[in-house]
Amino acid sequence: MTKNILEAVNNAREFFGIEDYPGDFFHRLDKIDYTDKYGILLFKEDIDKLSGFIGYGSDDLAVICINYKRSYGHQDFTLAHELGHWFLHKGVSISDDDRDLYSRDKVEQEANGFASELLYPEELLVKDFFYAICRDLFLESNRKALGEYIDELCHKYCLSYEMVLRKLLYKNRQGKQYKTIRKEIENAIGGKISEIFDKDFYSVNEKLPQYQRLMKPYLELDNKVDKLVTEGKIGKATGESIKLRSGVKNS
């Protein structure tokens, strides 16, 4: 972890009022009027092969979009990744697909490092690792217990199963054995992670709010357009046209 990334993470923690780790970042932001407070306009859309992107509007407004057709832990990491671009590469519009989570590109690696440390700080990772060591969870005979422990940590930090398992295995110098150990865990628990554990956390279920379009930014846009019309800065017809093009209002 480089100095500039750690400084960016610390700045983000202070900026968002994070004492240890944010957990479900969407839930944290949803508690406040984050657009006015932080200057962020957050969307959730089906953006095909992209995991997310960040762009900029007027007055340095950060426009972030997350693909809701990803597991919830994946979405949370993508949000932190885009915020990493905001704190480290502000002003540069960037689109990210799933491959960028493993990219060797410097900009993407910096955003990944930022997201990883913000969501799962090294200090807590070390504690979780020693907990697993003390209980012999890395022994092949304890794959079921290891699998259950990883599931617990995924919900705690709101991260994907793959990310948490990989991070602990790398700490135990077993990073290259990820696929083998994950398969052994699934054999021990009697099925795939998404089938045995919390299916709605590990798989997309569009009946749930976390896997749907986020309407809050559209409502904010609706209110801003109405205000411009009321103030006489744009005509009513222009306002209606803006709403139609943005998806606020159906034709």
Side-chain angles (χ1 to χ4, degrees):
M1 188 70 62
T2 61
K3 182 179 179 181
N4 70 313
I5 295 176
L6 284 174
E7 287 179 352
V9 170
N10 288 332
N11 289 337
R13 286 177 179 152
E14 182 177 355
F15 185 75
F16 290 111
I18 300 169
E19 295 183 2
D20 38 27
Y21 61 94
D24 184 340
F25 220 136
F26 293 101
H27 183 65
R28 170 181 284 268
L29 291 178
D30 200 45
K31 290 180 178 180
I32 57 174
D33 187 352
Y34 54 80
T35 301
D36 287 340
K37 184 171 183 178
Y38 298 130
I40 299 171
L41 194 58
L42 178 61
F43 292 84
K44 275 192 181 184
E45 296 283 353
D46 177 3
I47 45 178
D48 196 27
K49 296 181 180 180
L50 293 180
S51 291
F53 65 77
I54 183 170
Y56 296 89
S58 59
D59 299 324
D60 288 328
L61 179 71
V63 180
I64 295 175
C65 185
I66 307 300
N67 194 338
Y68 63 73
K69 288 195 172 182
R70 299 291 187 274
S71 70
Y72 199 53
H74 188 121
Q75 290 182 44
D76 202 47
F77 187 86
T78 301
L79 174 56
H81 178 100
E82 302 308 332
L83 290 172
H85 285 314
W86 191 37
F87 277 88
L88 291 163
H89 320 118
K90 192 169 185 178
V92 181
S93 297
I94 299 174
S95 297
D96 296 297
D97 60 30
D98 295 349
R99 294 171 298 179
D100 289 321
L101 298 177
Y102 309 99
S103 175
R104 294 184 179 180
D105 177 78
K106 180 182 178 182
V107 169
E108 295 303 334
Q109 286 188 333
E110 288 179 340
N112 283 332
F114 173 97
S116 180
E117 178 62 21
L118 183 67
L119 297 177
Y120 197 175
E122 178 70 16
E123 180 182 359
L124 297 181
L125 173 61
V126 169
K127 290 181 180 179
D128 294 340
F129 170 68
F130 278 110
Y131 179 94
I133 285 289
C134 291
R135 286 156 180 78
D136 295 324
L137 296 186
F138 294 107
L139 294 179
E140 189 172 347
S141 57
N142 286 336
R143 291 297 188 237
K144 185 175 185 291
L146 175 62
E148 292 170 343
Y149 181 56
I150 299 299
D151 176 59
E152 177 185 329
L153 295 178
C154 289
H155 284 77
K156 176 181 178 179
Y157 300 110
C158 198
L159 292 171
S160 71
Y161 202 91
E162 178 176 353
M163 179 178 179
V164 175
L165 178 57
R166 281 189 184 277
K167 289 179 78 68
L168 286 177
L169 290 180
Y170 275 115
K171 278 291 179 188
N172 202 44
R173 299 182 180 180
Q174 291 181 295
K176 293 182 179 180
Q177 299 178 47
Y178 166 77
K179 290 184 179 180
T180 299
I181 292 176
R182 175 156 180 160
K183 185 64 177 177
E184 290 172 352
I185 288 174
E186 291 182 335
N187 289 337
I189 64 176
K192 294 185 178 299
I193 301 301
S194 60
E195 295 172 348
I196 303 302
F197 295 133
D198 186 352
K199 183 176 182 179
D200 292 333
F201 183 82
Y202 295 114
S203 300
V204 177
N205 180 354
E206 293 189 41
K207 293 180 180 180
L208 300 176
Q210 58 265 40
Y211 298 112
Q212 297 175 6
R213 189 184 192 200
L214 192 63
M215 294 308 300
K216 184 175 181 179
Y218 294 98
L219 296 175
E220 291 179 359
L221 179 58
D222 192 10
N223 291 332
K224 291 182 186 300
V225 170
D226 286 343
K227 184 178 180 181
L228 291 173
V229 172
T230 301
E231 293 173 348
K233 294 181 179 180
I234 62 173
K236 185 175 181 180
T238 300
E240 293 298 306
S241 177
I242 292 173
K243 291 181 183 182
L244 284 171
R245 290 199 303 271
S246 66
V248 172
K249 185 175 181 178
N250 294 324
S251 57

